[in-house]
Coordinates of all heavy atoms in Angstrom, one line a residue:
V1 N 109.1 102.1 117.3 CA 110.0 103.2 117.9 C 111.4 103.1 117.4 O 112.2 104.0 117.7 CB 109.9 103.2 119.4 CG1 108.5 103.5 119.9 CG2 110.4 101.9 119.9
K2 N 111.8 102.1 116.7 CA 113.2 101.9 116.2 C 113.4 102.7 114.9 O 114.5 102.7 114.3 CB 113.5 100.5 116.0 CG 113.5 99.7 117.2 CD 113.9 98.2 117.0 CE 113.9 97.5 118.3 NZ 114.2 96.1 118.1
A3 N 112.4 103.4 114.4 CA 112.5 104.2 113.2 C 113.6 105.3 113.4 O 113.8 105.8 114.5 CB 111.2 104.9 112.8
Q4 N 114.3 105.7 112.3 CA 115.3 106.7 112.4 C 114.9 107.8 111.5 O 114.5 107.6 110.3 CB 116.6 106.1 111.9 CG 117.2 105.0 112.7 CD 118.5 104.4 112.2 OE1 118.9 104.8 111.1 NE2 119.1 103.5 112.9
W5 N 115.0 109.1 112.0 CA 114.7 110.2 111.2 C 116.0 110.6 110.4 O 117.1 110.6 110.9 CB 114.3 111.4 112.0 CG 113.0 111.2 112.7 CD1 112.8 110.7 113.9 CD2 111.7 111.3 112.0 NE1 111.4 110.5 114.1 CE2 110.8 110.9 113.0 CE3 111.3 111.8 110.8 CZ2 109.4 111.0 112.7 CZ3 110.0 111.8 110.6 CH2 109.0 111.4 111.5
I6 N 115.8 110.8 109.1 CA 116.9 111.2 108.3 C 116.8 112.7 107.9 O 115.7 113.2 108.1 CB 117.1 110.3 107.0 CG1 115.8 110.3 106.2 CG2 117.5 108.9 107.4 CD1 115.9 109.5 104.9
P7 N 117.8 113.4 107.5 CA 117.8 114.9 107.4 C 116.6 115.4 106.6 O 116.1 116.5 106.9 CB 119.1 115.2 106.8 CG 120.0 114.1 107.2 CD 119.1 112.9 107.3
S8 N 116.2 114.7 105.6 CA 115.1 115.2 104.7 C 113.7 115.2 105.4 O 112.8 115.8 104.9 CB 115.0 114.4 103.4 OG 114.6 113.1 103.8
G9 N 113.7 114.6 106.6 CA 112.4 114.6 107.4 C 111.7 113.3 107.1 O 110.6 113.0 107.7
L10 N 112.2 112.4 106.2 CA 111.5 111.1 106.0 C 112.0 110.1 107.0 O 113.0 110.3 107.7 CB 111.9 110.6 104.6 CG 111.4 111.5 103.4 CD1 112.0 110.9 102.1 CD2 109.9 111.6 103.4
V11 N 111.3 109.1 107.2 CA 111.6 108.0 108.1 C 112.2 106.9 107.4 O 111.7 106.5 106.3 CB 110.4 107.6 109.0 CG1 110.8 106.4 109.9 CG2 109.8 108.7 109.7
S12 N 113.3 106.3 107.9 CA 113.9 105.2 107.2 C 114.0 104.0 108.2 O 114.4 104.2 109.3 CB 115.3 105.6 106.7 OG 116.0 104.4 106.2
V13 N 113.6 102.8 107.7 CA 113.6 101.6 108.5 C 114.3 100.5 107.6 O 113.8 100.3 106.5 CB 112.3 101.2 109.0 CG1 112.3 99.8 109.7 CG2 111.6 102.2 109.9
K14 N 115.3 99.9 108.2 CA 115.9 98.7 107.5 C 115.6 97.5 108.2 O 115.7 97.5 109.5 CB 117.4 99.0 107.4 CG 118.2 97.9 106.7 CD 119.7 98.2 106.6 CE 120.4 97.1 105.9 NZ 121.8 97.4 105.8
G15 N 115.3 96.4 107.5 CA 115.0 95.2 108.2 C 114.8 94.0 107.2 O 114.9 94.2 106.0
T16 N 114.5 92.9 107.8 CA 114.3 91.7 107.0 C 112.8 91.3 107.1 O 112.3 91.3 108.2 CB 115.1 90.5 107.5 OG1 116.5 90.9 107.4 CG2 115.0 89.3 106.7
V17 N 112.2 91.0 106.0 CA 110.7 90.7 106.0 C 110.6 89.3 106.7 O 111.2 88.3 106.3 CB 110.2 90.6 104.5 CG1 108.8 90.1 104.5 CG2 110.3 91.9 103.8
A18 N 109.7 89.3 107.7 CA 109.3 88.0 108.4 C 108.1 87.4 107.8 O 108.1 86.2 107.4 CB 109.1 88.3 109.9
Q19 N 107.0 88.2 107.6 CA 105.8 87.6 107.0 C 104.9 88.7 106.6 O 105.0 89.9 107.0 CB 105.1 86.7 108.0 CG 104.6 87.4 109.2 CD 104.0 86.5 110.2 OE1 104.4 85.4 110.4 NE2 103.0 87.0 110.9
F20 N 103.9 88.4 105.8 CA 102.9 89.3 105.4 C 101.7 89.2 106.4 O 101.5 88.1 107.0 CB 102.4 89.1 104.0 CG 103.4 89.4 102.9 CD1 104.2 88.4 102.3 CD2 103.5 90.7 102.5 CE1 105.1 88.8 101.4 CE2 104.5 91.1 101.6 CZ 105.3 90.1 101.0
K21 N 101.0 90.3 106.6 CA 99.9 90.3 107.6 C 98.6 90.3 106.8 O 98.3 91.2 106.0 CB 99.9 91.6 108.4 CG 98.8 91.7 109.4 CD 98.9 93.0 110.1 CE 97.6 93.2 110.9 NZ 97.6 94.6 111.5
P22 N 97.7 89.3 107.0 CA 96.4 89.2 106.4 C 95.5 90.3 106.9 O 95.5 90.6 108.0 CB 95.9 87.8 106.7 CG 96.7 87.3 107.8 CD 98.0 88.1 107.9
A23 N 94.7 90.8 106.0 CA 93.7 91.8 106.3 C 92.3 91.2 106.1 O 92.2 90.1 105.5 CB 93.9 93.0 105.5
P24 N 91.2 91.9 106.4 CA 89.9 91.3 106.2 C 89.6 91.0 104.7 O 90.3 91.6 103.8 CB 89.0 92.5 106.6 CG 89.8 93.2 107.6 CD 91.2 93.1 107.2
E25 N 88.7 90.1 104.5 CA 88.3 89.7 103.1 C 89.5 89.0 102.3 O 89.5 89.1 101.1 CB 87.8 90.9 102.3 CG 86.6 91.5 103.0 CD 86.0 92.7 102.3 OE1 86.4 93.0 101.1 OE2 85.3 93.5 102.9
G26 N 90.4 88.4 103.0 CA 91.5 87.7 102.3 C 92.6 88.5 101.7 O 93.4 88.0 101.0
K27 N 92.6 89.9 101.9 CA 93.6 90.7 101.4 C 94.8 90.8 102.3 O 94.7 90.4 103.4 CB 93.0 92.1 101.1 CG 91.9 92.0 100.0 CD 91.4 93.4 99.6 CE 90.3 93.2 98.6 NZ 89.9 94.4 98.0
V28 N 95.8 91.5 101.9 CA 97.0 91.7 102.7 C 97.3 93.2 102.6 O 97.3 93.8 101.5 CB 98.2 90.9 102.2 CG1 99.4 91.3 102.9 CG2 97.9 89.4 102.3
D29 N 97.5 93.8 103.8 CA 97.8 95.3 103.7 C 99.0 95.7 104.6 O 99.3 96.8 104.8 CB 96.6 96.1 104.2 CG 96.3 95.8 105.7 OD1 96.9 95.0 106.3 OD2 95.3 96.5 106.2
A30 N 99.8 94.7 105.0 CA 101.0 95.0 105.8 C 102.0 93.8 105.8 O 101.6 92.7 105.3 CB 100.6 95.3 107.2
L31 N 103.2 94.1 106.2 CA 104.2 93.1 106.4 C 104.9 93.4 107.8 O 104.8 94.5 108.3 CB 105.2 93.0 105.3 CG 106.0 94.2 104.9 CD1 107.2 94.3 105.8 CD2 106.4 94.1 103.5
F32 N 105.4 92.3 108.3 CA 106.2 92.4 109.6 C 107.7 92.2 109.2 O 108.0 91.3 108.5 CB 105.8 91.4 110.6 CG 104.4 91.6 111.2 CD1 103.3 90.9 110.8 CD2 104.3 92.6 112.2 CE1 102.1 91.1 111.4 CE2 103.0 92.9 112.7 CZ 101.9 92.1 112.3
L33 N 108.5 93.0 109.9 CA 109.9 92.7 109.8 C 110.3 91.8 111.0 O 109.5 91.7 111.9 CB 110.7 94.0 109.9 CG 110.4 95.1 108.7 CD1 111.2 96.3 108.9 CD2 110.6 94.5 107.4
T34 N 111.5 91.2 110.9 CA 111.9 90.3 111.9 C 112.0 90.9 113.3 O 111.9 90.3 114.3 CB 113.2 89.6 111.6 OG1 114.2 90.6 111.3 CG2 113.0 88.7 110.4
D35 N 112.2 92.3 113.4 CA 112.3 93.0 114.7 C 110.9 93.4 115.2 O 110.8 94.0 116.2 CB 113.2 94.2 114.6 CG 112.7 95.3 113.7 OD1 111.6 95.2 113.2 OD2 113.3 96.3 113.6
G36 N 109.8 93.0 114.5 CA 108.5 93.3 114.9 C 107.9 94.6 114.3 O 106.7 94.9 114.5
T37 N 108.7 95.3 113.6 CA 108.2 96.5 112.9 C 107.1 96.1 111.9 O 107.2 95.2 111.1 CB 109.3 97.2 112.1 OG1 110.3 97.6 113.1 CG2 108.8 98.5 111.4
E38 N 106.0 96.8 111.9 CA 104.9 96.6 111.0 C 104.8 97.7 110.0 O 104.8 98.8 110.3 CB 103.6 96.5 111.8 CG 102.3 96.1 111.0 CD 101.1 95.9 111.9 OE1 101.2 96.0 113.2 OE2 100.0 95.8 111.4
V39 N 104.8 97.3 108.7 CA 104.8 98.2 107.6 C 103.5 98.1 106.8 O 103.2 97.0 106.3 CB 106.0 98.0 106.6 CG1 106.0 99.0 105.5 CG2 107.3 98.1 107.4
H40 N 102.7 99.1 106.8 CA 101.4 99.0 106.1 C 101.5 99.6 104.7 O 102.3 100.5 104.4 CB 100.3 99.9 106.9 CG 99.9 99.2 108.1 ND1 98.7 98.5 108.1 CD2 100.4 99.1 109.3 CE1 98.5 98.0 109.3 NE2 99.5 98.4 110.1
F41 N 100.7 99.1 103.8 CA 100.6 99.6 102.4 C 99.1 99.3 102.0 O 98.5 98.4 102.5 CB 101.6 98.9 101.5 CG 101.7 97.4 101.6 CD1 100.9 96.6 100.9 CD2 102.6 96.8 102.5 CE1 100.9 95.2 101.0 CE2 102.7 95.5 102.6 CZ 101.8 94.6 101.9

């Protein structure tokens, strides 16, 4: 919920990477920022 809307309609989040999140089958599909924000890819 700490995301900020910028005029173009995109969402911008600034933070520091805390760790990567493991996914099934040994893959990784997300990372956590130090504030708890989860970013998926």
Side-chain angles (χ1 to χ4, degrees):
V1 294
K2 294 181 182 181
Q4 297 176 354
W5 291 96
I6 54 177
S8 66
L10 298 175
V11 177
S12 174
V13 175
K14 180 179 179 179
T16 303
V17 177
Q19 65 184 34
F20 290 100
K21 178 185 173 189
E25 301 177 16
K27 297 185 181 191
V28 174
D29 66 356
L31 58 84
F32 289 104
L33 301 179
T34 55
D35 69 358
T37 301
E38 186 173 351
V39 180
H40 284 261
F41 48 86

